[in-house]
Amino acid sequence: MGKVVVVENVTLDGVMQAPGGADEDVRGGFPHGGWAHPYADQVLAETMGKGMSEDGGMLFGRRTYEQFYGFWSKQTDGNPYTGVLNRKHKYVASRTLAGPLPWENSSLLEGNAVEAVAGLKRVVVGDLVVLGSGGLVRSLAKVGLIDVYTLLIHPLTLGTGMKLFAEGEDAYGTMELVETVPTTTGVIIATYRPTT
């Protein structure tokens, strides 16, 4: 049976919007895109690389899938992530996309995303890793389908932006800390397992 593993860059005040680039996600006039880049280091790269090399697949919402496809599928500089991302099976939750999807090894989830992910967990061996895809993460969290959260907690606050756990939504429960890895730039890679 597979596990759903959420991997998210977040700030100390919980913002997850646009860690990768200025134009990544400007919804709501978000002016801080690319906030995670100054904190990249070898520890972070190696820790994330270990997780990517394991069996399983990836889960994406439409917006994150399109952003990843637009960037990673075209990288040819020999970085360690492109090959892994191209080889991994990518499952995409979307109400607007139609198949076939353009990135190799990609499948559109049919019907209700929550039900489709529950079905995947029963048949996929290994982890189903969710990167970004905040709306999908919140939908899966509400029904208890997330098994592990790996949060890359960055030492800054932004005061604005979309948060991993949105205000005004139902509580998600408690978590158990499984592992922490500090980086040289102050990022704490914290792995949690939901307990309720």
Side-chain angles (χ1 to χ4, degrees):
M1 184 166 173
K3 292 187 303 187
V4 173
V5 177
V6 170
V7 178
E8 297 289 354
N9 288 286
V10 295
T11 64
L12 287 174
D13 55 345
V15 174
M16 65 171 289
Q17 187 172 357
D23 298 325
E24 181 179 355
D25 185 352
V26 295
R27 287 179 288 173
F30 186 68
H32 305 296
W35 50 265
H37 281 294
Y39 300 96
D41 75 347
Q42 191 64 29
V43 174
L44 193 145
E46 289 174 4
T47 304
M48 292 299 97
K50 281 188 248 176
M52 289 182 70
S53 66
E54 296 175 4
D55 290 338
M58 304 185 79
L59 291 172
F60 288 104
R62 177 199 54 84
R63 178 184 300 273
T64 304
Y65 174 80
E66 289 177 335
Q67 288 170 343
F68 269 61
Y69 170 68
F71 181 78
W72 287 108
S73 68
K74 296 167 180 60
Q75 299 304 303
T76 58
D77 61 0
N79 74 73
Y81 300 117
T82 300
V84 173
L85 289 168
N86 286 337
R87 282 190 303 274
K88 286 261 189 187
H89 199 96
K90 294 161 283 290
Y91 300 94
V92 184
S94 173
R95 292 184 212 101
T96 57
L97 289 178
L101 298 175
W103 198 359
E104 62 188 282
N105 299 317
S106 295
S107 300
L108 190 61
L109 294 176
E110 300 291 331
N112 178 284
V114 169
E115 292 172 5
V117 171
L120 279 176
K121 283 183 70 168
R122 290 190 289 273
V123 297
V124 169
V125 175
D127 295 343
L128 292 164
V129 177
V130 186
L131 302 173
S133 308
L136 178 60
V137 169
R138 288 186 287 277
S139 294
L140 299 176
K142 284 180 185 178
V143 295
L145 283 176
I146 297 176
D147 300 288
V148 176
Y149 291 88
T150 297
L151 304 181
L152 289 69
I153 305 167
H154 291 66
L156 80 156
T157 59
L158 297 175
T160 184
M162 288 181 225
K163 295 184 176 185
L164 177 58
F165 299 107
E167 293 179 26
E169 293 190 4
D170 293 337
Y172 294 93
T174 59
M175 309 230 183
E176 170 189 20
L177 181 64
V178 176
E179 180 183 25
T180 58
V181 177
T183 72
T184 63
T185 60
V187 174
I188 302 295
I189 304 170
T191 302
Y192 295 94
R193 185 178 301 120
T195 56
T196 60

